[in-house]
Amino acid sequence: MNVVEGTTFAGYRIERRLGSGGMGTVYAAAHPRLPRTDALKVLSDARADDPEFRARFLREAELAARLQHPNLVAVRDRGEHEGRLWIAMQYVEGVDLTELIRRGPAVLDPARAVRILAQAAQGLDEIHRAGLLHRDVKPANILVAERPDGPDRVLVTDFGIARGADDAATLTGSGSFAATLAYAAPEQLGGGAVDRRADVYALGCTLYQMLTGSVPFPRHSPGSVLYAHLHEPAPRPSLRNPRLPKAFDDVIANAMAKLPDDRYDSCGELAAAARSALSTPAGSSRRRNRRAALVAAAALAVLAVGVPAVWFGTGGDGAASTANDDHRPVAASVEPAQWGAYAYIAQTFPELLPSWPFGAGYQDVSTCAPLDERGENRSLDASVPVARLFCLGDGDPVESVQVTCNADRSPIGPSRSFARVEGDEHWSRPSGTGHIFWGSELYSGTGTFLDGQTWGVLEVYFDDPSRNFCKLRVVGAGPSGAGLRDRWWSDAPL
């Protein structure tokens, strides 16, 4: 079928085309049930019958869904419609890094380039911690939301050719090269063993392009580009842009070293070295040892600010999604087979929770995992008398949502379970009635990102038998639960 403006695809109404690449085309599309716009990526029709291409497309969805990080694009949903595969991602207004580079140094000065590099490095290091490699780092796969009243929001996207770190393959099954030649590490081109330092090399190429406006090896033929990556020394950005501190020459030389052992050990280490070079006076140069760069990289990680993961287009209002006036759940969106023994919980809250554990629900709640009473992971296939499902929020305002349900459907009565209560009230909506409490609690000894901080807490209880065997516990919004009541509860699809 043709995917054009005004048509419906997999329940989404196509609003406009955002762009296309080797794997498919991305559209702005209206969500089937919620009043929001998603970015819908549809498999290329020309490659729809290619088993290898379909496998790569599905791998992108699976990898992106499991990698939850402020600097990585998150997947909302995925599926197949009339033989064509698709992925739905959050959409807000923004551009990719290629566009910023095109605008020139008046828009992308060295300080901004280093800030963008640091956020992209954090996302890539998270990929590597998960045992994966990106393998196609380039400006087109780094998305930037420009905010006039604050710093840019930067996210890495497009995991279509990502593989496990122990997968040494460089070529696709058909023998064609998978990565983009202008940013490919020598070991990718030469068929050698590839690890995270290939992504460091590509990120170094990207930094060079941000600083100079040019790819590292501008040549007239693919063969000459390949030869340059394999044999020519890394270019010196200060020769192309004399206003740069010469310390950036050392940074690029290290990042683009021919041998992986001679490069920075991580993308964060590269970002730390770039930040140090930025503070060096123009015309001077200094080499930094590996340990100093590691210390600086750790400082960058501590200073990182969490923001929700998104897919960026070039239009739309970018507003957070809100629930319909009728809050009644719609069970058709849930995939019971994906939830195992916890399917009844997902079916009880189908618009709140994602359709599958690694999808995205209300306000991007995602990565849902079953826990026991000690907070340790259980299997989704294990039936338990009291089920606890722990899901991550997007941090704005929710850090986590925990759903606790009695498997025998015996009621859970209102009884707040946190230290400081700021308020409570009986609630009534078209879907039913119940009670909410809100307040705060100091978390300690949990072994999670909540440890050692006071967080806002909101708990929701239900009167109607279809949901009174469950309760919700929502954590986030700083040291008070009032923010959760105003920004989460007010439009929660319950």
Side-chain angles (χ1 to χ4, degrees):
M1 65 169 291
N2 291 327
V3 184
V4 297
E5 183 177 341
T7 62
T8 299
F9 183 90
Y12 289 80
R13 184 167 181 79
I14 303 301
E15 297 175 344
R16 63 190 178 280
R17 182 177 177 273
L18 299 177
S20 61
M23 294 197 68
T25 303
V26 182
Y27 303 89
H31 189 275
R33 291 170 299 280
L34 298 175
R36 74 180 185 211
T37 296
D38 284 358
L40 192 71
K41 186 172 185 178
V42 181
L43 176 70
S44 171
D45 196 38
R47 306 285 296 276
D49 295 327
D50 182 343
E52 180 204 6
F53 190 69
R54 291 172 65 89
R56 286 178 57 203
F57 190 90
L58 286 172
R59 182 169 62 247
E60 178 181 3
E62 295 296 327
L63 294 175
R66 285 169 169 77
L67 291 169
Q68 299 294 320
H69 188 274
N71 299 117
L72 296 177
V73 166
V75 167
R76 290 188 184 276
D77 204 354
R78 83 282 181 265
E80 183 173 353
H81 180 72
E82 296 185 4
R84 300 185 68 180
L85 297 167
W86 57 270
I87 306 174
M89 292 160 281
Q90 184 182 353
Y91 168 82
V92 296
E93 191 171 353
V95 298
D96 65 27
L97 184 53
T98 303
E99 172 61 20
L100 291 187
I101 294 171
R102 186 192 63 79
R103 296 178 189 173
V107 171
L108 186 60
D109 59 35
R112 189 181 187 189
V114 170
R115 290 194 296 269
I116 290 172
L117 177 79
Q119 292 191 52
Q122 290 161 18
L124 289 167
D125 282 348
E126 178 64 17
I127 293 175
H128 300 157
R129 280 190 289 270
L132 300 169
L133 309 176
H134 189 290
R135 294 180 183 256
D136 197 20
V137 178
K138 58 185 178 181
N141 286 337
I142 297 174
L143 308 177
V144 182
E146 302 173 273
R147 299 187 293 184
D149 57 346
D152 296 320
R153 292 170 56 184
V154 180
L155 293 97
V156 178
T157 187
D158 207 351
F159 305 101
I161 63 169
R163 292 189 177 93
D166 58 351
D167 181 353
T170 303
L171 303 180
T172 66
S174 59
S176 61
F177 188 72
T180 303
L181 190 57
Y183 311 91
E187 61 270 28
Q188 286 180 288
L189 300 170
V194 175
D195 62 19
R196 66 188 178 280
R197 292 168 295 184
D199 288 345
V200 172
Y201 185 97
L203 190 61
C205 295
T206 299
L207 173 61
Y208 179 89
Q209 190 172 356
M210 284 195 285
L211 295 173
T212 67
S214 169
V215 295
F217 300 115
R219 301 291 188 272
H220 296 295
S221 70
S224 60
V225 175
L226 187 149
Y227 179 89
H229 280 298
L230 290 174
H231 302 293
E232 294 183 12
R236 295 167 57 188
S238 67
L239 292 181
R240 195 173 185 95
N241 183 357
R243 291 171 295 180
L244 285 173
K246 288 188 177 180
F248 276 112
D249 293 351
D250 294 336
V251 174
I252 296 300
N254 194 319
M256 295 181 59
K258 303 303 179 188
L259 299 177
D261 287 344
D262 292 335
R263 295 177 206 149
Y264 298 111
D265 195 57
S266 69
C267 293
E269 191 175 338
L270 164 58
R275 174 169 288 186
S276 177
L278 186 65
S279 64
T280 303
S284 64
S285 175
R286 65 181 183 187
R287 294 188 179 272
R288 307 180 70 233
N289 63 39
R290 178 65 55 85
R291 179 171 177 79
L294 283 172
V295 172
L300 280 176
V302 171
L303 292 173
V305 177
V307 292
V310 292
W311 176 275
F312 296 101
T314 55
D317 56 19
S321 63
T322 57
N324 296 316
D325 291 336
D326 180 4
H327 295 274
R328 192 172 303 280
V330 180
S333 63
V334 173
E335 301 180 20
Q338 298 284 343
W339 286 98
Y342 289 72
Y344 75 100
I345 299 179
Q347 290 169 325
T348 302
F349 302 105
E351 297 259 342
L352 174 70
L353 299 176
S355 61
W356 59 305
F358 291 103
Y362 173 60
Q363 290 193 0
D364 285 334
V365 63
S366 185
T367 317
C368 298
L371 302 178
D372 62 18
E373 62 277 4
R374 298 183 301 276
E376 297 178 358
N377 287 338
R378 289 186 181 272
S379 167
L380 281 169
D381 295 325
S383 299
V384 292
V386 180
R388 297 173 179 85
L389 194 64
F390 182 88
C391 306
L392 293 177
D394 67 2
D396 185 25
V398 172
E399 297 292 339
S400 69
V401 175
Q402 181 170 309
V403 187
T404 302
C405 298
N406 290 332
D408 64 1
R409 298 183 179 260
S410 58
I412 299 177
S415 177
R416 59 92 179 171
S417 61
F418 51 91
R420 180 173 174 266
V421 176
E422 298 169 359
D424 70 278
E425 65 184 23
H426 188 268
W427 61 268
S428 178
R429 293 181 173 180
S431 62
T433 60
H435 205 96
I436 62 169
F437 298 90
W438 64 94
S440 61
E441 184 165 76
L442 172 65
Y443 279 73
S444 61
T446 64
T448 71
F449 60 91
L450 301 173
D451 247 351
Q453 301 184 60
T454 297
W455 295 88
V457 182
L458 183 144
E459 291 187 347
V460 185
Y461 296 85
F462 305 89
D463 292 332
D464 53 295
S466 65
R467 294 186 290 179
N468 69 1
F469 54 91
C470 296
K471 70 174 183 179
L472 306 178
R473 181 183 177 91
V474 184
V475 177
S480 170
L484 293 172
R485 183 179 182 276
D486 295 339
R487 299 174 58 201
W488 184 87
W489 169 251
S490 59
D491 289 316
L494 296 170

